[in-house]
Amino acid sequence: MKNNLFLTISLLIAFSCCAQNSIRRVDDNYCRIEIPSENGNFDCKEDGTKSCNRYYVLEETFFKDKIKLFIAEDNDYFGAKACPLNANLKEELLKLGRKRAKIQFNDQFVILDTTHIRTIQKCVPMQIKYQKRKNKTLLKLDLTNFSHSPVGNYEYYIYEYYIYLEYKNNKLSLSKIEEYLFLN
């Protein structure tokens, strides 16, 4: 009986040491960057006079792997802290443009064209699921958007996007993007 218990505990420890899985809430870890438009104005009002570019930046480390997310945003949610902006990051974000997101894993990256995704520019990163297997690493990024109907009784809509990525043989690839709508 003691041998079976010892064997079971040993196997559980061995499997947990080999598996590198983690789910991390990141809704408080991202920061915001505002880059003035060509005229140098920082006025970012949502009334149609917006003249700056806004981005969310998220950096997380899982074990020895580093994940970075850069996403253009049109949200007026200013709860995020401001990021320091250096010249290289500014140039990289301006190249990214207004309708794209960049996900970087270690030294590889994927650029998502978000023109076909209706509300992703109003999303904020919420959670990252990291799963390292023997020959590949799987990532799931959760982005959430809270918006409301401009007419009627102001029902709230929650859009969630799940972005699935795979890192295998030193290459990062996009597996799929799922979109879900929840009505409150």
Side-chain angles (χ1 to χ4, degrees), residues 66-129:
K66 190 171 210 168
I67 300 167
K68 292 181 183 179
L69 170 68
F70 306 97
I71 188 166
E73 64 95 8
D74 291 333
N75 204 341
D76 58 358
Y77 177 70
F78 287 103
K81 63 184 178 219
C83 298
L85 180 64
N86 62 42
N88 292 337
L89 181 58
K90 178 180 176 180
E91 183 178 320
E92 187 175 347
L93 291 173
L94 288 175
K95 280 186 204 173
L96 186 61
R98 299 293 307 145
K99 298 291 185 182
R100 296 185 178 200
K102 179 179 178 180
I103 302 167
Q104 186 173 332
F105 185 78
N106 296 334
D107 58 347
Q108 299 290 313
F109 65 89
V110 171
I111 295 181
L112 306 175
D113 182 2
T114 59
T115 54
H116 65 286
I117 303 173
R118 293 179 292 182
T119 60
I120 202 165
Q121 282 82 26
K122 294 188 181 294
C123 285
V124 293
M126 295 298 282
Q127 179 174 286
I128 298 175
K129 182 178 181 182

Side-chain angles (χ1 to χ4, degrees), residues 38-87:
E38 288 116 23
N39 65 6
N41 192 349
F42 266 109
D43 188 17
C44 287
K45 295 180 182 170
E46 291 296 322
D47 62 358
T49 62
K50 183 180 358 175
S51 58
C52 76
N53 300 303
R54 283 191 228 146
Y55 301 89
Y56 284 134
V57 178
L58 172 70
E59 292 187 34
E60 288 291 323
T61 303
F62 291 88
F63 304 100
K64 293 182 180 181
D65 295 322
K66 190 171 210 168
I67 300 167
K68 292 181 183 179
L69 170 68
F70 306 97
I71 188 166
E73 64 95 8
D74 291 333
N75 204 341
D76 58 358
Y77 177 70
F78 287 103
K81 63 184 178 219
C83 298
L85 180 64
N86 62 42

Side-chain angles (χ1 to χ4, degrees), residues 107-169:
D107 58 347
Q108 299 290 313
F109 65 89
V110 171
I111 295 181
L112 306 175
D113 182 2
T114 59
T115 54
H116 65 286
I117 303 173
R118 293 179 292 182
T119 60
I120 202 165
Q121 282 82 26
K122 294 188 181 294
C123 285
V124 293
M126 295 298 282
Q127 179 174 286
I128 298 175
K129 182 178 181 182
Y130 172 93
Q131 199 173 41
K132 189 157 191 120
R133 295 189 179 161
K134 190 174 189 176
N135 62 348
K136 64 183 170 184
T137 303
L138 303 173
L139 300 167
K140 178 185 168 198
L141 303 173
D142 296 356
L143 305 173
T144 301
N145 168 22
F146 300 97
S147 59
H148 63 82
S149 170
V151 294
N153 59 2
Y154 290 97
E155 294 176 326
Y156 283 86
Y157 298 90
I158 301 171
Y159 284 93
E160 289 189 2
Y161 294 93
Y162 303 135
I163 301 171
Y164 296 90
L165 301 154
E166 179 179 280
Y167 183 73
K168 185 176 182 179
N169 298 329

